[in-house]
Amino acid sequence: MALCSHRQPGPINRRQMLQSAACGFGFLAFAGLAQGSASKLLLPTDDPFAPKTPHFTPKAKRVIFLCMAGGPSHVDTFDYKPELATMDGKSYRRNAKLMASPWKFKQRGKSGLWISDLFPNVGGLADDLTLLRSMKAAIPAHAQATKHLHTGSFQFVRPSFGAWSFYGLGTMNENLPGFVTINPRNGGAENYGSSFLPATYQGTPVNLGSSRRGGQSEDPIQHITNDRTGSRAQEEQLDLLRTLERERTRRDRHDPALESVLEQYELAFRMQTEVPELVDLGKEDRKTLEMYGIGQDGTNEFGRQCLLARKLAEEGVRFIEVTHGGWDTHRNLRADLEKQCGAIDQPIAALLTDLKQRNMLDETLVLWGGEFGRTPYAQNGDGRDHNAGGFTMWMAGGGVKGGLSYGSTDETGSKATDDVMDIHDWHATVLHLMGMDHERLTYNHAGRDFRLTDIHGNVHSKIIS
């Protein structure tokens, strides 16, 4: 009797066992899982850090997003409503009464933009600002609206805006993450994660201490240092892992998920050298520290964040988010809003000025705003409720027209009426400024091409210079 010609010669690996045992039934499940990982392979390059060619010539090379968590009151800051002052105290709805802004507005700069006295320093740079006075959010609830602002979806976990930017353009410094979030607030992976994009693209949180002399008082990035193994040994470990991975690929096939893990290990190793010096703000000259308000009461914390954002931008980080919370002013509006604005006004003006002095503002798109605005009527006597129907954000640098007021809300600031820009439009416009077509920036997941703007979004070209 002839021997079976299909007998396996020698030992077999696990993949071969799944292919041959039980008519290959086990391999069907594995193939599905492997396909999910394989779909994460980037084309035309496997290197996620490599700079990628944009769809068209970009206006901005990088983004600094100043995220005001909690919903700043637009009618008290950047959306001048003189009619609201004349209607102060009148009934509005559900027994609510309209409340005029306690602060005066003035025309600022040559452009004459109306900006509140709460922002005297930022107001001095009015000619660099594009005020988006017709923003509209999807839902007036903090968690959902914040997720929508960051990911384009308030229902599902999706990749962050910063992750999409990193994925589409790569980074300009392979020794630093392409997406950094400074002192992030609540939300974690929901707001700063990569979701179905490879983990390499998720936001790297940097937590600054409260040192008043500019130095760093604690580890800015958790688990970046290895106290048990020196750099030489770590380098040898990484070389060994790379050798094993190449041998595995030669014998079997490329595993993008494993490749992503190795890339993160290697990035963490490179960051051990570059990050400590970068976040040590104490090496900055006294004039710079004073300009940002570092070491001063009220402005120290946010000033440190803004200065680090400038340094990260200068070193080639693609997307930087700086967060400042405490804008949920349901009561104590007069005291709390003045405190919040006082904490950020000088640092933001310093950031814009610093970027201009370094000839970086033209290629850096600075974004400011929160998840929604506030109502024109009073709440709890001295506060304002959530308002998703109309609010203000602003942009500066990076290819937008300075000294421009774009869109409008109704006479009380309750609802966006002209040139309405929703969150999908905002995302589409920012991606456009970065040289990316939001309809072409896609990623195949679960058999469907996903994008940041889903099936929505229009570029508002009127604000582009």
Side-chain angles (χ1 to χ4, degrees), residues 106 140 168-169 185 210 277 298 311 375 391 401 440:
K106 295 178 183 176
L169 293 175
R185 306 283 292 184
S210 56
E277 182 175 354
K311 294 183 69 175
T375 58
F391 61 103
K401 296 177 181 178
R440 294 168 58 192

Side-chain angles (χ1 to χ4, degrees), residues 34-182:
Q35 179 61 32
S37 294
S39 69
K40 296 179 179 180
L41 184 61
L42 297 179
L43 296 176
T45 174
D46 291 342
D47 183 3
F49 298 99
K52 300 179 180 66
T53 303
H55 297 140
F56 44 82
T57 303
K59 299 279 188 178
K61 289 184 177 180
R62 63 191 74 86
V63 165
I64 298 176
F65 176 26
L66 307 174
C67 180
M68 305 293 108
S73 173
H74 56 296
V75 295
D76 295 301
T77 54
F78 295 103
D79 194 6
Y80 179 46
K81 293 299 174 187
E83 296 89 347
L84 190 58
T86 63
M87 294 186 286
D88 184 41
K90 291 185 178 180
S91 295
Y92 184 66
R93 64 175 72 159
R94 298 179 184 174
N95 298 320
K97 293 184 178 181
L98 293 171
M99 182 175 70
S101 176
W103 296 275
K104 294 184 181 297
F105 280 70
K106 295 178 183 176
Q107 287 185 287
R108 317 275 179 168
K110 294 180 180 179
S111 57
L113 291 182
W114 288 93
I115 297 176
S116 167
D117 284 347
L118 287 170
F119 285 100
N121 293 294
V122 172
L125 299 169
D127 295 336
D128 294 310
L129 306 182
T130 297
L131 301 183
L132 308 175
R133 285 173 161 158
S134 54
M135 291 299 302
K136 181 180 179 181
I139 188 169
H142 290 295
Q144 293 87 342
T146 300
K147 186 191 297 185
H148 194 215
L149 177 68
H150 283 86
T151 71
S153 172
F154 62 84
Q155 298 169 301
F156 308 105
V157 176
R158 293 285 185 261
S160 174
F161 187 12
W164 278 111
S165 301
F166 184 10
Y167 163 69
L169 293 175
T171 184
M172 296 177 283
N173 187 339
E174 65 175 9
N175 295 328
L176 292 172
F179 171 26
V180 171
T181 174
I182 303 174

Side-chain angles (χ1 to χ4, degrees), residues 40 42 48 150-151 156-168 178-179 181 187-205 257 260-261 264 442-445 450-452:
K40 296 179 179 180
L42 297 179
H150 283 86
T151 71
F156 308 105
V157 176
R158 293 285 185 261
S160 174
F161 187 12
W164 278 111
S165 301
F166 184 10
Y167 163 69
F179 171 26
T181 174
E190 285 192 351
N191 296 324
Y192 315 111
S194 58
S195 185
F196 48 73
L197 291 178
T200 305
Y201 298 109
Q202 66 188 344
T204 297
S260 178
V261 172
Q264 290 179 74
T442 62
Y443 189 85
N444 189 271
H445 170 67
F450 283 83
R451 70 188 206 213
L452 173 63

Side-chain angles (χ1 to χ4, degrees), residues 229-272:
T229 307
S231 60
R232 177 64 178 172
Q234 292 179 59
E235 189 172 5
E236 292 176 349
Q237 290 174 348
L238 289 171
D239 288 343
L240 175 59
L241 287 174
R242 272 295 175 197
T243 301
L244 294 173
E245 195 274 336
R246 283 194 296 268
E247 176 62 20
R248 181 188 182 283
T249 300
R250 186 188 66 79
R251 289 187 292 104
D252 200 345
R253 66 176 180 177
H254 180 70
D255 186 341
L258 178 59
E259 180 73 18
S260 178
V261 172
L262 289 178
E263 286 161 353
Q264 290 179 74
Y265 286 164
E266 291 169 345
L267 172 61
F269 175 69
R270 297 193 299 269
M271 286 168 59
Q272 290 182 50

Side-chain angles (χ1 to χ4, degrees), residues 210-215 286 288-304 346:
S210 56
S211 171
R212 298 180 62 82
R213 293 192 298 271
R286 180 181 298 276
T288 298
L289 297 176
E290 290 177 350
M291 181 174 69
Y292 279 88
I294 296 172
Q296 302 172 24
D297 290 337
T299 57
N300 179 66
E301 182 177 351
F302 196 71
R304 288 165 55 79
Q346 180 182 343

